[in-house]
Amino acid sequence: MKYPRLVELLSKPENYDSVLVRGWVRTFRANRFIALNDGSTIENLQCVVDFKNTDEKILKKINTGAAIEVSGKLIKSMGKGQSQEVLVEKIEIIGEADPDLYPIQPKKHSFEFLREKAHLRVRTATFSAVMRIRSVLSFAIHQFFQDKGFYYIHTPIITGSDAEGAGEMFRVSVLDPQKPPIDADGSVDFKQDFFGKETNLTVSGQLEAETYALGLGNVYTFGPTFRAENSNTSRHLAEFWMIEPEMAFYDLDDNMDLAEEFIKNILTYVMEKCEKDLIFLDQRLENEDKTKPLIQRSPMRLIQKIKFVIENEFKRVSYSEAIDILKNSKQNKKKKFKYLIQEWGTDLQSEHERYLVEKHFNAPVILYDYPAKIKAFYMRMNEDQKTVRAMDILFPGIGEIVGGSQREERLVFLKKRIQELGIDDEELWWYLDLRRFGSTPHSGFGLGFERLVLFATGMSNIRDVIPYPRTPQNASF
Ligand code: 4AD
Ligand code: MG
């Protein structure tokens, strides 16, 4: 007898005759039909119980959520909905789940409810599909870069610098908040803290990645990043994972080419490897859509949307062109935007990004050459002295999914920007050294992993694509 997982068994049933399987009960119907799932696939295995010859006490314990072991004959199923089933010869209850207490019952639960049961929600079809796709996407990302000869580097999680200069950091300290040491000026004396200075959780591994790109050539990071921005939206997390490639000798066009190829490559991979999960999520979204008013329904289904991104060229548009489009849009003229576009230089809100992607271009858009004053200090200044070599990739239903740039490799320009923005350059001495020794044009970008998983799964809230979301006022589990 073999002990396969369901994904193996259901893909090659001809290899099995008698089977022993273990998993959790999804449903138990008519005292006869168990839908068993072991997490390896979206598909359940139907196990048919001979209730007349089964101990009453055992039958009572076959409840949703219970862990069981079943052995029996694998046969072709006559019933609808499955090709195979097991005629149960022996059943053992490994772990009971009291139906009066177990919260995940075979009925529709809201995602809000399931967030409060985040330790159990992965036992539902939707969350297991999302988390399998998340795993496959992670692997695809490593494979893409490794195949291209990029080296994976681990940038520090505790840092002394603020890579984005936005001041949205979580402090790391061991000082007693009740009575911290005070220095001569009356401020908290961080010299007495664990690291002898102020430290925080990183908002991005970019600055350290740049140092490695200027030694290893092409590198990437893939790790957790932390932002203490108080954005309670469906697209922001306080702890999220970011992929940041950094390439020596790349200009902004090379950077955009790589980002587009990268996204298309990993989405293609997930389409190949996660077909069944995607079909399930596609259907889920379709059902959810049907409950909405016509105007809110999505024009494309999930799989169609992924294919659309893979098959179409991303539109490359300068910030200045985008502002013209937005300024002249009906939406703006009729004052339908919450934030009206009045002049060149304003930052784009997600309503503007989504207008460009979903209404105007109807394609993913790469916006480039942003005004320097709305972007970070490290981006390369253009000849016009007003715009920098930045690029953001905007996605349907998501808005910004990638942010990147060509980096300022000229010491004089970089120092000037740091000074203008009042950034403490002492912390950045090592970053400036890169511009002193063997400096070269280089570029990179950051892809927000959860935003990508949102897109690939058709989920609508970022809290539902990471196992344990961290958001303002919430760090349960
Ligand atoms: O645009 P951002 O801030 O860029 C950087 O951090 C650069 N250092 C990247 C680089 O060039 N190496 O963030 C990059 C991406 C965004 O486009 C978005 O997808 C995601 O990270 N992101 C978030 N995702 C979830 N929650 C948040 N609070 C996020 N903030 C940014
Ligand atoms: Mg950004």
Side-chain angles (χ1 to χ4, degrees), residues 86-355:
V86 177
L87 293 181
V88 176
E89 284 158 6
K90 192 165 163 249
I91 182 162
E92 196 183 313
I93 308 290
I94 302 173
E96 295 178 35
D98 184 337
D100 293 331
L101 300 173
Y102 185 60
I104 315 286
Q105 290 301 317
K107 62 167 197 176
K108 200 171 160 18
H109 292 295
S110 73
F111 289 148
E112 288 81 5
F113 171 81
L114 290 172
R115 264 170 233 150
E116 287 165 15
K117 313 280 180 245
H119 58 307
L120 298 170
R121 67 178 177 172
V122 75
R123 299 194 198 175
T124 65
T126 299
F127 283 93
S128 65
V130 168
M131 294 307 159
R132 279 188 295 268
I133 289 174
R134 188 180 162 108
S135 167
V136 170
L137 274 173
S138 308
F139 181 78
I141 287 163
H142 284 293
Q143 181 155 289
F144 175 83
F145 287 119
Q146 294 286 332
D147 283 353
K148 276 198 172 311
F150 281 56
Y151 295 107
Y152 178 34
I153 55 163
H154 300 99
T155 48
I157 288 176
I158 300 173
T159 74
S161 54
D162 177 5
E164 293 305 300
E168 293 164 332
M169 297 170 301
F170 290 101
R171 169 165 291 142
V172 175
S173 172
V174 295
L175 296 180
D176 180 353
Q178 302 293 337
K179 41 177 182 5
I182 303 292
D183 64 14
D185 313 338
S187 355
V188 174
D189 184 9
F190 286 103
K191 286 207 185 67
Q192 296 187 43
D193 205 344
F194 189 90
F195 297 105
K197 62 182 209 171
E198 281 191 73
T199 50
N200 47 268
L201 295 178
T202 187
V203 295
S204 156
Q206 178 195 322
L207 304 191
E208 291 89 352
E210 282 185 54
T211 65
Y212 265 59
L214 267 56
L216 293 177
N218 295 343
V219 300
Y220 69 104
T221 71
F222 185 173
T225 47
F226 308 86
R227 297 199 183 175
E229 52 188 329
N230 209 351
S231 306
N232 232 328
T233 79
S234 57
R235 299 172 312 114
H236 287 89
L237 290 165
E239 175 179 295
F240 64 99
W241 288 66
M242 187 158 40
I243 297 97
E244 297 185 275
E246 192 69 35
M247 298 74 65
F249 311 109
Y250 269 49
D251 66 15
L252 190 68
D253 289 319
D254 302 326
N255 201 20
M256 293 195 244
D257 290 345
L258 180 74
E260 183 169 344
E261 184 193 347
F262 168 54
I263 292 174
K264 288 177 171 174
N265 179 288
I266 56 183
L267 288 176
T268 305
Y269 186 86
V270 94
M271 288 273 280
E272 281 165 23
K273 297 283 173 186
C274 301
E275 199 189 352
K276 286 183 176 148
D277 286 324
L278 285 171
I279 291 171
F280 171 82
L281 291 170
D282 187 274
Q283 192 58 53
R284 185 202 77 77
L285 197 62
E286 174 83 349
N287 295 341
E288 187 187 271
D289 238 25
K290 281 187 194 143
T291 66
K292 292 182 182 164
L294 269 179
I295 184 141
Q296 284 174 22
R297 290 187 196 172
S298 68
M300 271 191 235
R301 295 187 56 160
L302 175 63
I303 292 175
Q304 211 182 356
K305 223 167 49 176
I306 299 174
K307 276 202 185 129
F308 183 82
V309 166
I310 294 170
E311 286 163 6
N312 286 285
E313 252 180 52
F314 296 5
K315 295 273 186 308
R316 301 186 185 188
V317 186
S318 74
Y319 166 90
S320 301
E321 290 170 75
I323 285 290
D324 283 341
I325 292 167
L326 289 166
K327 222 157 88 181
N328 296 318
S329 67
K330 268 196 202 144
Q331 215 92 348
N332 201 54
K333 287 184 173 156
K334 290 191 172 164
K335 302 196 164 43
K336 289 259 171 70
F337 284 135
K338 190 167 164 222
Y339 299 92
L340 294 179
I341 299 284
Q342 266 146 357
E343 60 194 67
W344 189 94
T346 48
D347 205 354
L348 301 182
Q349 304 293 327
S350 90
E351 58 175 343
H352 308 127
E353 295 174 345
R354 293 186 59 174
Y355 175 85

